[in-house]
């Protein structure tokens, strides 16, 4: 069995789910037992409204609903419908980590890290270079 240790250099921060109706989705996940923060955040640069609920000491469930006209979540919902959109891992230094990943052949979505929800600096690894999973890496500022 794997040891139950915490890896502070790379740990799961959130699982993000794309939804059309934030209130409706939140109610469904609350029925399962999750408790959402009363504060929602609009991330204008990403065209989303977010709602977070803790899953354990570190990981959260993030609901992502389109805000405004455009953005990756709106496009994803139009093509695929609701569902898991990405996994996010917390790292100490997002720029350094992305350089290391690129040197190993991974493809970054953004040339430079950008502002994300919850006062973080983020970048994304393209799903075409991870085996079909969009991965966000995030550094708390
Ligand atoms: N998970 C897995 N695969 C995905 C995906 C996802 N979330 N989104 C797109 N893809 C795949 C598609 O299935 C498609 O594959 P095929 O060519 O085999 O059909 C391919 O990637 C291209 O998809 P697309 O619909 O044409 O999408 P784009 O290329 O326009 O955009 C991406 C894809 C990853 C570059 C875009 O979603 C992006 O820039 N993501 C980063 C930003 C982001 O996701 N923001 C959301 C909010 C973040 C937050 O605040 O938490």
């Amino acid at each position: 069995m794997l040891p139950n240790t915490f890896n502070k250099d790379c740990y799961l921060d959130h699982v993000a789910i794309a939804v059309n109706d934030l209130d409706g989705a939140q109610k469904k996940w609350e029925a399962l037992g999750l408790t959402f923060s009363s504060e929602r955040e609009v991330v204008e640069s990403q065209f989303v409204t977010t709602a977070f609920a803790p899953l354990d000491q570190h990981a959260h469930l993030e609901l992502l609903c389109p805000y405004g006209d455009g953005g990756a979540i709106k496009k994803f919902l139009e093509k695929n419908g609701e569902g898991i959109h990405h996994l996010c891992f917390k790292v100490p230094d997002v720029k350094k980590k992305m350089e290391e990943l690129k040197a190993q052949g991974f493809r970054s979505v953004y040339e430079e890290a950008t502002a994300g929800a919850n006062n973080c600096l983020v970048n994304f690894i393209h799903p075409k270079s991870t085996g079909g999973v969009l991965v966000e890496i995030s550094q708390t500022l």
Side-chain angles (χ1 to χ4, degrees):
M1 191 155 81
L2 285 171
N4 187 15
T5 51
F6 167 57
N7 177 5
K8 67 178 172 36
D9 290 327
C10 180
Y11 61 88
L12 183 67
D13 183 73
H14 61 260
V15 177
I17 299 180
V19 302
N20 287 308
D21 166 17
L22 203 49
D23 290 333
Q26 185 170 321
K27 281 203 185 81
K28 284 180 195 159
W29 287 97
E30 282 171 344
L32 200 72
L34 297 188
T35 303
F36 284 80
S37 164
S38 55
E39 287 172 29
R40 288 180 176 174
E41 186 179 351
V42 172
V43 186
E44 290 197 28
S45 57
Q46 293 286 342
F47 298 92
V48 289
T49 306
T50 65
F52 279 88
L55 295 171
D56 62 21
Q57 297 98 316
H58 305 288
H60 297 77
L61 191 79
E62 178 187 35
L63 300 180
L64 287 167
C65 189
Y67 172 85
D69 201 21
I73 296 303
K74 187 166 186 285
K75 184 173 182 186
F76 179 88
L77 285 164
E78 283 166 1
K79 277 183 79 171
N80 308 289
E82 296 180 315
I84 293 182
H85 183 259
H86 66 263
L87 300 180
C88 175
F89 293 91
K90 190 65 77 182
V91 297
D93 184 332
V94 71
K95 292 179 186 171
K96 184 165 169 265
K97 176 58 83 176
M98 191 52 89
E99 288 313 311
E100 289 168 5
L101 290 167
K102 285 203 289 199
Q104 293 174 70
F106 290 94
R107 185 169 140 200
S108 69
V109 168
Y110 299 131
E111 210 44 57
E112 295 292 335
T114 182
N118 286 333
N119 197 31
C120 292
L121 195 60
V122 305
N123 204 338
F124 290 82
I125 313 170
H126 201 283
K128 290 293 176 197
S129 66
T130 61
V133 180
L134 177 62
V135 176
E136 179 179 14
I137 53 171
S138 165
Q139 170 190 350
T140 302
L141 292 173

